[in-house]
Amino acid sequence: MQATIKNLLTPTSLFLTFVFTLAIPLVSVAQQGFYFGTGFNTYMTHEEVRSSDGQYDFSHSTQSKNDGFLSQSLGDYGVGLSLGFRKNINAPSGKNILTLDAQYYYNYQNVTLDNDFDAFRIKTTAHYNHGYRLALGHHFGMIHPYLIIQGIYQNISPYNSSIDNDGIIYDVDDDGTILDTTLKTKGDSFSTEVFSFIGGFGIEVPVHPKWTVNVEYIPMKHVEYGLRSVSNPDNYFANGLVINQLHVGFRYFLYDPFGK
């Protein structure tokens, strides 16, 4: 499936999709109620790594899997799904109204950072994330921009060749200090929570009384975790994973309980 998605999401196809979207006659309507959303994601990912002994302090990132236009920005693809509810807060005229969204979302990622440094190897895979979010927006005619506040549960699989027995995974403070909270007793896939007050922003345009097209940028906060050796607890690594997501998709409004 991953290869199919990457074949579809070439820079040329993205550009043609954008042109086609602009050619669709827009409708002046302010949707509300329950909706379903889906679309494609692209990820710009890097990870900051620091060892307890000071030997390692670096940042590594994914390698681009495409050639040509914007190759460095479109290296990893995924799919996003969401279920939400929107309430138009004030005037029902359809113009210049505030909106409030509550939403559950799921993003399939499968983004891998795999790098070798002489005898040292580090590999981090971000499998998926999901969570809840609120979005506050405002209708400017047919254009609907919005800001996002969200809580993220990010699932990760870490590997570090200098940590024996796969290590124990701990939570990490903002300054890189390992905390007492254990995220996983054996190094494997685990999920950790991140809350972001300004969790991104988006723009939505209606193309039908029940359909909208939307573009979102989600600059995720550091997903911080520590990997500590089982046999030598003084040997640990503090990692800060950053996954910035660009989403292009659509929403279908299922039912408006406030409609006449």
Side-chain angles (χ1 to χ4, degrees), residues 4 22 55 97 160 196 204 218 229 250:
T4 302
L22 292 180
Q55 182 179 0
I97 62 177
N160 189 314
S196 182
E204 181 183 50
I218 310 295
S229 173
F250 63 87

Short mmCIF file of all heavy atoms in Angstrom, two decimals, residues 4 22 55 97 160 196 204 218 229 250:
data_model
loop_
_atom_site.label_atom_id
_atom_site.label_comp_id
_atom_site.label_asym_id
_atom_site.label_seq_id
_atom_site.Cartn_x
_atom_site.Cartn_y
_atom_site.Cartn_z
N THR A 4 2.06 2.11 -3.42
CA THR A 4 0.96 2.64 -4.24
C THR A 4 0.71 4.09 -3.93
O THR A 4 0.53 4.92 -4.81
CB THR A 4 -0.31 1.82 -4.00
OG1 THR A 4 -0.05 0.45 -4.30
CG2 THR A 4 -1.45 2.33 -4.88
N LEU A 22 -9.03 24.11 -7.85
CA LEU A 22 -9.32 25.52 -8.09
C LEU A 22 -10.38 25.70 -9.18
O LEU A 22 -11.10 26.69 -9.20
CB LEU A 22 -8.05 26.26 -8.49
CG LEU A 22 -6.98 26.42 -7.40
CD1 LEU A 22 -5.79 27.18 -7.97
CD2 LEU A 22 -7.55 27.14 -6.18
N GLN A 55 29.17 11.66 24.38
CA GLN A 55 29.85 11.22 23.16
C GLN A 55 29.03 11.51 21.92
O GLN A 55 29.57 11.82 20.86
CB GLN A 55 30.15 9.72 23.26
CG GLN A 55 30.90 9.17 22.04
CD GLN A 55 31.20 7.69 22.16
OE1 GLN A 55 30.86 7.05 23.15
NE2 GLN A 55 31.86 7.14 21.16
N ILE A 97 -18.86 33.79 10.08
CA ILE A 97 -19.29 33.18 11.33
C ILE A 97 -18.14 32.41 11.95
O ILE A 97 -17.25 31.91 11.27
CB ILE A 97 -20.50 32.25 11.11
CG1 ILE A 97 -20.13 31.09 10.17
CG2 ILE A 97 -21.70 33.02 10.58
CD1 ILE A 97 -21.25 30.11 9.98
N ASN A 160 18.69 1.28 19.18
CA ASN A 160 19.98 1.92 19.39
C ASN A 160 21.01 0.83 19.65
O ASN A 160 20.88 0.08 20.62
CB ASN A 160 19.89 2.89 20.58
CG ASN A 160 21.12 3.75 20.73
OD1 ASN A 160 22.23 3.26 20.65
ND2 ASN A 160 20.91 5.04 20.96
N SER A 196 -0.33 19.92 22.44
CA SER A 196 0.13 21.11 21.74
C SER A 196 -0.98 22.15 21.74
O SER A 196 -2.06 21.92 21.17
CB SER A 196 0.52 20.74 20.30
OG SER A 196 1.00 21.87 19.62
N GLU A 204 -9.98 25.64 4.81
CA GLU A 204 -11.01 24.78 4.22
C GLU A 204 -11.85 25.60 3.24
O GLU A 204 -12.13 26.77 3.49
CB GLU A 204 -11.89 24.23 5.34
CG GLU A 204 -12.99 23.30 4.89
CD GLU A 204 -13.84 22.85 6.06
OE1 GLU A 204 -14.28 23.73 6.85
OE2 GLU A 204 -14.08 21.65 6.19
N ILE A 218 0.59 20.64 10.44
CA ILE A 218 0.66 20.29 11.86
C ILE A 218 2.13 20.22 12.26
O ILE A 218 2.81 19.22 12.01
CB ILE A 218 -0.02 18.94 12.14
CG1 ILE A 218 -1.42 18.90 11.53
CG2 ILE A 218 -0.07 18.67 13.64
CD1 ILE A 218 -2.39 19.88 12.14
N SER A 229 20.13 1.69 29.13
CA SER A 229 20.69 0.35 29.12
C SER A 229 20.21 -0.44 30.33
O SER A 229 20.08 0.10 31.44
CB SER A 229 22.22 0.41 29.11
OG SER A 229 22.78 -0.87 29.27
N PHE A 250 -10.26 15.96 2.21
CA PHE A 250 -11.62 16.47 2.06
C PHE A 250 -12.46 15.99 3.25
O PHE A 250 -12.09 15.06 3.97
CB PHE A 250 -12.25 16.01 0.75
CG PHE A 250 -12.40 14.51 0.62
CD1 PHE A 250 -13.53 13.87 1.13
CD2 PHE A 250 -11.43 13.75 0.01
CE1 PHE A 250 -13.67 12.49 1.02
CE2 PHE A 250 -11.56 12.37 -0.09
CZ PHE A 250 -12.69 11.74 0.41
#
